Amino acid sequence: MSGFIDRLRKGYGKKLVSLHTWNGWIVVILALTGLILVGGFWRGVLGEGRVWLKWLHIVVGVASILPVIYYLALAGKHWKQLKQKPWQRFNVLVVLALLLGWFGSGVLLWQFRAVGPSVSNTALAVHDLLTWIGLPYIIYHSITRVKWLKEPNRRTIKSERAAAELHPAGAPQSLYTRRAFIRGAIGIGLAVTVGPSFLKWLGSSLGSIGGGQTIDKLIENDTNELLPAPDPLPDSAPPIGGGATGNFRVYTVTPIPSFSNDNWFFTIDGLVNQAMKWDWKQFVALKRTVQVSDFHCVTGWSVYKNTWEGIPLKELLKMAGVQSGAETVKLYSGDGVYTDTLTLEQADMDDVMVAVMHDGKPIPSDLGGPVRLVVPKMYAYKSVKWLNRIELIDEEHTGYWEQRGYSKDAWV
Ligand SMILES: Nc1nc2c(c(=O)[nH]1)N[C@H]1C(S)=C(S)[C@@H](COP(=O)(O)O)O[C@H]1N2
Ligand SMILES: [Mo]
């Protein structure tokens, strides 16, 4: 046993050990940065830091291929060495599959613009799946190999020998059960702590493609109270798009705001001929239209075939009358923090909609209701949630995520 470790410490073995250490640290950095990046809680807290963190994740992720390549150069010899150790061989294969899968899907996500939404959708699903399988596996792998667990293990081997001397035909097997027990306990511990979030993720990303369940849950938990509820047009109920496919991830940089008839108003002001202000009753009485469109987030997910019902932005701008000095349409969220902009030309596209309903139902508070913007031809950071003010200005304005590193060019 110690002879084997001595051999490992020399030359080629030494290389393998330091490779393992490097790889371990890379995985730790990627796991921490990755979990913070998906954790909704961190979106608002980090702000600009989130963009730096994303870069760190990408740079370290790209670099993670180096130890893999280096290992593959040594793999032939190592593989032969593991001839008698099927579990270690299995472990090597799992880790290689994880690293290569994370790397490949990560590069596709990083290059979302080059590969387009449908490839990044798949890449994101793969990246997530590997994470929820791979992280528990790697945590288990690390915990069961730390010293304090190995020591009883060594003792087991010693006492096993002792036992074998005492009872030559003896019962050393029962001594192994202690190790198995500790490993089992750790396995169960992990299953209990990580398992539920894994299942939840699995349910939301694989289970209900078609959106039905999840979105119904969001509607059930809607904290807005605006009356009367909008009456869907015939094209909305049943939705002419046939129902959205895919799931929205609820993104917000503030706590989810809620509105009632008392505190919800929609205004258009700035460089307009006639500043407008509607309360909810007046706003739901405005003439709406229906459109079917896809919704793409830069982080890789999309929701297809949304049937949105609302007022085309260009119609609202027509009512207020845009003055000739105006240059930018500044969009304010009722969360008090988030803003974004469109140029007048972009705002004039037919499918830019101030949406009130999705698939024939009011938009729930989590998804930006009662009223959100939808800009189908651009990444969804333009689709301001809880939209309640439009201001026409004669200069540029940098929106929330653009200030924090997102591209000013949001075209899908
Ligand atoms: N007010 C507000 N609007 C917002 C955001 C936000 O954080 N706050 N996130 C944007 C981004 S990046 C995306 S992808 C979509 C997500 O919409 P959803 O939460 O309804 O899925 O909303 C956009 N509009
Ligand atoms: Mo997004």
Side-chain angles (χ1 to χ4, degrees):
M1 180 73 191
S2 62
F4 172 70
I5 288 182
D6 284 346
R7 244 180 296 134
L8 262 188
R9 294 234 162 87
K10 286 192 202 106
Y12 148 83
K14 211 167 171 180
K15 280 184 204 157
L16 275 186
V17 171
S18 74
L19 197 60
H20 187 256
T21 310
W22 272 101
N23 196 50
W25 281 112
I26 286 177
V27 169
V28 168
I29 293 172
L30 289 175
L32 289 177
T33 50
L35 289 176
I36 293 174
L37 284 172
V38 285
F41 165 76
W42 294 97
R43 286 186 84 79
V45 179
L46 282 170
E48 185 167 7
R50 191 171 184 280
V51 174
W52 286 103
L53 205 66
K54 195 167 171 180
W55 273 110
L56 179 65
H57 189 81
I58 290 173
V59 169
V60 176
V62 169
S64 75
I65 198 68
L66 296 176
V68 175
I69 292 172
Y70 190 44
Y71 174 77
L72 289 176
L74 304 173
K77 195 170 171 191
H78 189 220
W79 196 248
K80 271 188 213 133
Q81 228 177 36
L82 296 182
K83 206 169 176 183
Q84 307 296 333
K85 302 196 164 77
W87 278 109
Q88 287 195 32
R89 278 191 165 185
F90 173 75
N91 181 58
V92 166
L93 288 181
V94 171
V95 171
L96 279 179
L98 283 172
L99 293 173
L100 288 172
W102 269 321
F103 178 80
S105 55
V107 166
L108 293 175
L109 281 173
W110 169 39
Q111 293 301 329
F112 65 91
R113 251 177 215 279
V115 300
S118 70
V119 173
S120 23
N121 278 199
T122 315
L124 183 65
V126 170
H127 213 69
D128 281 1
L129 181 67
L130 291 178
T131 301
W132 296 123
I133 293 172
L135 274 193
Y137 181 86
I138 286 171
I139 293 170
Y140 176 80
H141 172 90
S142 335
I143 293 178
T144 53
R145 275 162 184 76
V146 292
K147 267 226 176 90
W148 64 265
L149 252 184
K150 275 196 170 165
E151 265 152 17
N153 192 347
R154 274 195 207 128
R155 252 183 275 130
T156 306
I157 291 167
K158 258 190 221 153
S159 45
E160 177 192 338
R161 265 192 222 123
E165 277 160 23
L166 281 178
H167 320 275
Q173 249 185 333
S174 67
L175 290 162
Y176 268 114
T177 58
R178 176 165 165 204
R179 184 170 82 178
F181 172 76
I182 296 176
R183 290 199 172 186
I186 291 170
I188 291 170
L190 278 176
V192 170
T193 48
V194 186
S197 56
F198 173 67
L199 288 179
K200 198 171 153 200
W201 168 81
L202 206 67
S204 68
S205 61
L206 304 174
S208 55
I209 304 270
Q213 272 215 325
T214 340
I215 215 164
D216 281 346
K217 261 268 151 60
L218 296 179
I219 289 173
E220 211 176 284
N221 298 330
D222 190 357
T223 51
N224 287 330
E225 286 178 45
L226 290 149
L227 293 170
D231 224 350
L233 291 165
D235 277 351
S236 262
I240 46 169
T245 60
N247 291 292
F248 291 95
R249 299 189 175 194
V250 175
Y251 282 176
T252 180
V253 295
T254 61
I256 305 270
S258 353
F259 300 93
S260 67
N261 288 68
D262 297 331
N263 66 5
W264 191 89
F265 300 93
F266 195 100
T267 57
I268 305 183
D269 56 8
L271 299 172
V272 289
N273 297 330
Q274 171 72 60
M276 310 291 282
K277 179 170 184 173
W278 293 274
D279 65 14
W280 176 255
K281 263 192 185 155
Q282 297 162 330
F283 199 78
V284 278
L286 297 176
K287 182 174 177 290
R288 296 192 293 270
T289 60
V290 176
Q291 70 167 47
V292 179
S293 59
D294 300 336
F295 188 93
H296 306 291
C297 171
V298 275
T299 63
W301 56 269
S302 301
V303 182
Y304 298 94
K305 291 195 276 179
N306 302 285
T307 303
W308 298 106
E309 177 176 329
I311 305 123
L313 177 60
K314 65 194 285 186
E315 297 302 327
L316 287 177
L317 294 181
K318 236 182 246 167
M319 288 179 220
V322 177
Q323 289 179 6
S324 59
E327 208 178 280
T328 303
V329 182
K330 183 174 175 186
L331 307 149
Y332 292 80
S333 168
D335 65 13
V337 172
Y338 199 92
T339 59
D340 215 315
T341 59
L342 293 171
T343 64
L344 277 177
E345 205 182 335
Q346 293 164 351
D348 200 44
M349 291 186 290
D350 292 329
D351 58 356
V352 178
M353 178 177 269
V354 176
V356 178
M357 305 188 85
H358 177 264
D359 282 352
K361 293 180 190 127
I363 300 169
S365 47
D366 282 334
L367 298 184
V371 169
R372 83 173 297 163
L373 191 69
V374 183
V375 187
K377 293 195 179 68
M378 296 187 160
Y379 282 108
Y381 56 89
K382 290 285 177 190
S383 294
V384 176
K385 296 165 73 169
W386 311 292
L387 181 72
N388 66 359
R389 180 179 173 204
I390 297 170
E391 186 188 17
L392 278 293
I393 58 177
D394 61 0
E395 52 187 10
E396 284 194 25
H397 164 77
T398 308
Y400 184 91
W401 281 121
E402 286 99 326
Q403 260 175 47
R404 291 159 179 80
Y406 280 25
S407 174
K408 276 228 154 188
D409 169 12
W411 296 103
V412 172

